[in-house]
Amino acid sequence: MISKIVKYKCKVDKLSKVLESIDVFVKATKDNEPDTIYSVYRAGEFEFYHIMSFPNVDAELKHRAAKYTKEFVSALYPSCTRELKTIDLEFYTSTRK
């Protein structure tokens, strides 16, 4: 499993656009990638964390290349206060298998 966190803060005047873009993107991911686990969390009003897990490298590459991912990225990047930060994760332990 390949897991990542993407962290960003959106511009105050872009919040509604970002929220709408997230909703569309998460739905498209759910509809097209049944084995991908994708969650979005908020820390305060303008800071977001996207946590994603892909079953394998091919699934991650498919996600990156998808039209809906490219559309989300092109809408999101100009709406952020600074560059997005991506963190690669290595699984350690969980209460779930």
Side-chain angles (χ1 to χ4, degrees):
M1 180 132 324
I2 298 166
S3 298
K4 300 176 179 288
I5 294 177
V6 176
K7 173 186 173 181
Y8 60 91
K9 188 172 185 179
C10 76
K11 297 174 183 172
V12 173
D13 63 326
K14 300 293 184 182
L15 179 60
S16 61
K17 180 180 180 178
V18 168
L19 292 172
E20 181 181 331
S21 297
I22 290 170
D23 291 343
V24 169
F25 175 65
V26 171
K27 181 179 182 333
T29 301
K30 180 180 179 181
D31 291 347
N32 293 285
E33 301 176 41
D35 295 326
T36 296
I37 301 168
Y38 202 102
S39 301
V40 180
Y41 294 85
R42 288 173 81 167
E45 193 170 2
F46 304 104
E47 192 169 342
F48 294 86
Y49 292 83
H50 292 230
I51 302 171
M52 60 204 83
S53 293
F54 306 98
N56 54 48
V57 172
D58 289 341
E60 180 188 8
L61 293 175
K62 176 186 172 189
H63 176 80
R64 284 182 174 187
K67 180 182 176 191
Y68 50 88
T69 299
K70 292 178 181 183
E71 289 171 350
F72 176 65
V73 167
S74 68
L76 181 66
Y77 278 43
S79 299
C80 293
T81 59
R82 59 183 176 271
E83 188 174 323
L84 286 71
K85 180 173 174 112
T86 302
I87 302 165
D88 294 321
L89 303 173
E90 184 176 326
F91 180 76
Y92 177 64
T93 190
S94 173
T95 58
R96 308 272 184 209
K97 289 184 180 187

